[in-house]
Amino acid sequence: MRVRCLQIIHPAADVPVAEYESIRVGGVYPVAEMVAHDIECQIRVLGPGTPDPGLLWDAADFETVDVRIPPGWTLVIADGRTRLADARWQRPGFWTDYHHGAPRALADYEHVKRELLAAAPPHGN
């Protein structure tokens, strides 16, 4: 799944900007994860120089350009959230383990990231 960035609202300043952490308005990026909670929907996109693991963005600021969901993705509903992501990221505690530097979580993150970037065209196209 790929999306085109329509606008960026700076996370700290709450003002529109043209680029932030390698994501720019008009650029096309692979989606790494989608998270819905209550009425809010966010997506994690991978830019060419986005710091790991990237930020969750308001899905309303993007439009879909490729609807294909990557193989191995699953939909999980738990803890009041709906998550669509690679199955390796869906295990309980994955993001906590990732942020604590657990080797398995770091390896799973890197493997999925490489797969997503390899399947995507060059950044911004």
Side-chain angles (χ1 to χ4, degrees):
M1 178 183 340
R2 292 183 305 133
V3 293
R4 176 178 294 109
C5 181
L6 301 174
Q7 75 171 351
I8 297 171
I9 303 300
H10 193 285
D14 201 28
V15 296
V17 294
E19 185 172 345
Y20 186 82
E21 291 196 359
S22 296
I23 304 299
R24 66 177 174 77
V25 173
V28 174
Y29 306 98
V31 174
E33 175 181 36
M34 181 182 298
V35 181
H37 181 256
D38 292 330
I39 61 169
E40 185 176 291
C41 183
Q42 297 176 309
I43 57 175
R44 186 180 311 275
V45 297
L46 299 173
T50 303
D52 290 328
L55 298 174
L56 287 168
W57 297 94
D58 186 340
D61 295 337
F62 294 81
E63 68 181 352
T64 305
V65 297
D66 180 357
V67 298
R68 292 174 292 175
I69 296 174
W73 278 39
T74 59
L75 179 73
V76 173
I77 300 171
D79 302 322
R81 291 182 175 12
T82 302
R83 301 180 89 88
L84 179 63
D86 190 279
R88 290 164 282 195
W89 292 7
Q90 296 280 28
R91 69 176 170 73
F94 170 79
W95 286 112
T96 300
D97 291 349
Y98 173 87
H99 289 295
H100 286 116
R104 177 178 168 209
L106 294 173
D108 286 345
Y109 174 83
E110 286 300 324
H111 187 83
V112 171
K113 178 182 173 182
R114 278 193 308 274
E115 287 177 351
L116 291 169
L117 291 175
H123 69 300
N125 293 331

